[in-house]
């Protein structure tokens, strides 16, 4: 069976050639007969010459008829010989001509590695943005329509999230050097991009039904505006409370503990300024009977309000985590001291040489001594103290349950939530590496106690990478209405699509539908 990727002789070519040759020979014979028959006279009767038994019948044109009878066999023989010669030459040429493989159609793997890598990163960022935006707008729809009404859209988001998680998992393993085979590594970026494309396809497929549910360009606009304005007023009141929380943190803990949320109240106010402008424009557009523009302005306001809530929630969450960590430090210290004091149990708990176990126990004792001194000295960072205790105690068998496991989980959860809030509110600038590390941290958070320190480490790395991306990205193009409008923050946060030429907010959907609304006239 001849492979389809090679240019060779088709399997039915021989039968086709035989049929064509037979048609040619029959046609040639018929034509020859048509040419010869006119030379035979019609209507001539036989004539007798001479007399008696020696008389011979003689017809006019007898010589011509004999000639015609001789020509027909000769023509047939000549045609057969010519065909045999033609077939021999054709077979000889084919036997001497090498079979040339068909050139494969260009595909993703045919592109240069650098181009494949860039496509993969763009696909991850686009898919992650689509899922985040869709989840955010789904929350607004759920608040008005209820859980049952949004179930189809929620299912699409969940399916897209699963595809995206698989893509991030492949990317994380790729960054770790898996697979090692060069051919498999060349195909990995295409597989990641395919997963991301499927995530986007599911969101795109659900966008029309979701729009029909919300009906922002029809009867759903007034109610949606009321919900957004109510949430806006609530958050405006919470900014003062968040500032008071930060002041309290400054009096209880060292300055470094507030670093993850530094500037968050100011950024929340910036998003609310932007939301104020867009809510007013949505009202005005509705009064002018421009429902499409009103819906676009409302979507921009909703996204900005959601991000303001993320900033303020992060401040309160850090305050809660620090308070819980400070209360947990004494119990974690006591449990870690028990682990460090039982050398025999530590040697049985881990499968490493005895010398390595003793080195780990010595390190644990040094960490515990330092933490005890910090707690006795007054202000210290309890989350950092728990992190150091857990990282020193788990290598010698601690942290599987009790206070150490609770400490490990608290630290990892806060790190993942912190990184996730930063990525969500700066996603207009954050690239694929930070998002990949964050996704892996989130995955490990749910796999078991042994993976909790790894989740914490990956989340902290994600935050650092995201901050680097923001610094590299710089200030986005702000447009003509920049002064005091909050537009710069909206672009940085992905509330507005920076790549769009018009004033386009991000909406529920994948790459083909998330930019379907525009506030431009």
């Amino acid at each position: 069976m001849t492979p389809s990727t090679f240019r060779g002789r088709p399997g039915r070519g021989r039968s086709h050639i035989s049929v064509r040759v037979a048609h040619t020979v029959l046609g040639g014979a018929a034509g020859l007969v048509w040419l010869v028959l006119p030379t035979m006279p019609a209507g001539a009767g036989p004539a007798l010459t001479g007399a008696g038994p020696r008389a011979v019948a003689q017809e006019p044109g007898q010589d011509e008829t004999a000639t015609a009878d001789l020509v027909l066999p000769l023509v047939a023989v000549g045609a057969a010989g010519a065909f045999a010669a033609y077939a021999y030459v054709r077979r000889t040429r084919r036997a001497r001509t090498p079979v040339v493989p068909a050139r494969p159609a260009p595909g993703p793997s045919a592109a240069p590695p650098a181009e494949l890598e860039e496509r993969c990163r763009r696909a991850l960022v686009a898919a992650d943005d689509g899922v985040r935006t869709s989840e955010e707008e789904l929350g607004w729809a759920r608040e008005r329509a209820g859980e049952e009404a949004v179930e189809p859209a929620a299912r699409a988001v969940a399916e897209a999230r699963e595809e995206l998680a698989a893509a991030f998992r492949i990317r994380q393993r790729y960054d770790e050097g898996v697979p090692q085979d060069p051919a498999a590594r060349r195909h990995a970026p295409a597989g990641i991009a395919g997963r991301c494309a499927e995530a986007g396809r599911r969101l795109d497929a659900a966008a029309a039904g979701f729009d029909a549910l919300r009906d922002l360009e029809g009867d759903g606009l007034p109610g949606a505006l009321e919900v957004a304005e109510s949430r806006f007023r609530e958050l405006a009141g919470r900014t003062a409370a968040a500032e008071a929380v930060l002041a309290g943190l400054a009096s209880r803990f060292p300055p470094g503990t507030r670093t993850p949320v530094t500037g968050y109240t100011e950024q929340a106010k910036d998003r609310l300024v932007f939301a104020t402008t867009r809510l007013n424009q949505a009202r005005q557009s509705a009064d002018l009977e421009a429902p499409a523009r009103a819906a676009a302005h409302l979507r921009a306001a909703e996204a900005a309000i959601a991000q303001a809530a993320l900033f303020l929630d992060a401040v309160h969450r850090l305050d809660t985590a620090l308070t819980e960590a400070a209360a947990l430090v004494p119990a974690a210290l006591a449990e870690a001291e028990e682990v460090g004091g039982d050398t025999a149990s530590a040697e049985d708990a881990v499968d490493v040489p005895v010398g390595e176990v003793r080195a780990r126990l010595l390190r644990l004792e040094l960490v515990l001594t330092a933490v005890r001194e910090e707690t006795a000295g007054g202000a210290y960072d309890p989350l950092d103290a728990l992190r150091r205790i857990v990282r020193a105690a788990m290598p010698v068998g601690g942290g599987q349950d009790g206070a150490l496991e609770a400490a490990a989980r608290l630290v990892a959860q806060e790190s993942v939530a912190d990184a996730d809030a930063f990525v969500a509110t700066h996603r207009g600038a954050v690239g694929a590496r930070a998002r990949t590390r964050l996704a892996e941290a989130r995955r490990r958070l749910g796999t078991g106690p042994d993976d909790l320190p790894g989740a914490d480490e990956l989340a902290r790395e994600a935050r650092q990478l995201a901050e680097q991306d923001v610094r590299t990205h710089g200030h986005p193009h702000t447009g003509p209405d920049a002064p005091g409008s909050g537009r710069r923050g909206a672009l940085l946060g992905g509330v507005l699509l920076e790549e769009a030429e018009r004033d386009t907010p991000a909406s529920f959907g994948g790459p083909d539908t998330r930019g379907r609304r525009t506030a431009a006239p």
Side-chain angles (χ1 to χ4, degrees), residues 171-195:
R171 179 71 211 198
Q172 177 66 27
R173 290 175 59 80
Y174 180 86
D175 291 345
E176 293 171 351
V178 180
Q180 297 181 351
D181 178 65
R185 288 188 67 80
R186 283 195 299 271
H187 287 85
I192 295 169
R195 289 278 191 173

Side-chain angles (χ1 to χ4, degrees), residues 234-267:
E234 173 197 345
L235 293 174
R238 285 179 56 193
T239 56
E243 290 173 339
V245 168
L246 288 175
L249 293 177
S251 65
R252 295 158 52 204
F253 303 105
T257 58
R258 303 190 306 275
T259 299
V261 296
T262 298
Y264 272 22
T265 55
E266 289 76 12
Q267 293 189 65

